Amino acid sequence: MTNQGLIITSLILMLFVSAPAQSELVIIGNDKTVFSKLNTRIISRIYTGKVIEIEGVSVIPVNSTQTTSLRNRFLEKYLSQNENEYSAYWTVRRFIGKGTPPKEFASVTDIITYVAETPGAIGYIDTDLISVPSSVKIINQ
């Protein structure tokens, strides 16, 4: 192999080895929900209990459990918070009587099942781990 061929092969290998696989975090909603797309600001307000209804429909957010990387990515992307900040926020809100944090599920499958069966429910999943079933719809990517 020539030096030029070796360099090109090395560069191609470096691209594949050094490029981390990007998984896609998506927000899903019940397929019968009246809202079809939600922006990041509204999602943040829903997960902090500031928006509880959209177009006359109660919105029911659900979380992954605290120890998952999925939840950490969600908090960072949509709320610009880490787990400690989010937990502290809900501790105060609960103490002053301003609501309770979203229900938590241990698996992505449980989140999908709950969202599919509950009108107004929204949750988040990683599309690299599971495909989006027809029983839910993507409302933010």
Side-chain angles (χ1 to χ4, degrees):
M1 184 177 268
T2 66
N3 280 345
Q4 187 177 12
L6 185 59
I7 290 171
I8 291 172
T9 303
S10 296
L11 288 173
I12 291 171
L13 284 173
M14 284 175 49
L15 279 174
F16 288 110
V17 171
S18 64
Q22 285 292 338
S23 56
E24 187 170 15
L25 174 71
V26 297
I27 308 298
I28 58 169
N30 182 281
D31 70 336
K32 294 174 183 62
T33 303
V34 293
F35 47 87
S36 59
K37 296 288 178 198
L38 297 178
N39 65 37
T40 301
R41 182 176 175 274
I42 295 297
I43 292 167
S44 173
R45 294 179 59 78
I46 290 169
Y47 275 85
T48 54
K50 295 175 182 170
V51 169
I52 57 171
E53 185 178 284
I54 296 176
E55 298 179 27
V57 176
S58 293
V59 181
I60 307 162
V62 296
N63 264 327
S64 181
T65 55
Q66 292 181 11
T67 57
T68 64
S69 65
L70 177 62
R71 178 164 163 155
N72 291 332
R73 289 185 8 242
F74 168 79
L75 290 174
E76 183 179 311
K77 180 177 180 178
Y78 288 95
L79 279 69
S80 299
Q81 293 182 350
N82 63 36
E83 183 58 47
N84 290 338
E85 293 167 326
Y86 188 67
S87 294
Y89 172 84
W90 276 109
T91 299
V92 171
R93 295 249 332 157
R94 194 176 12 216
F95 181 76
I96 63 174
K98 295 285 185 177
T100 56
K103 187 175 190 146
E104 295 180 3
F105 291 94
S107 76
V108 172
T109 306
D110 292 341
I111 290 172
I112 291 171
T113 301
Y114 183 82
V115 170
E117 295 173 352
T118 309
I122 68 168
Y124 49 90
I125 63 171
D126 184 336
T127 57
D128 279 358
L129 300 176
I130 193 164
S131 60
V132 180
S134 61
S135 58
V136 298
K137 62 183 172 184
I138 295 176
I139 56 177
N140 188 286
Q141 295 185 257

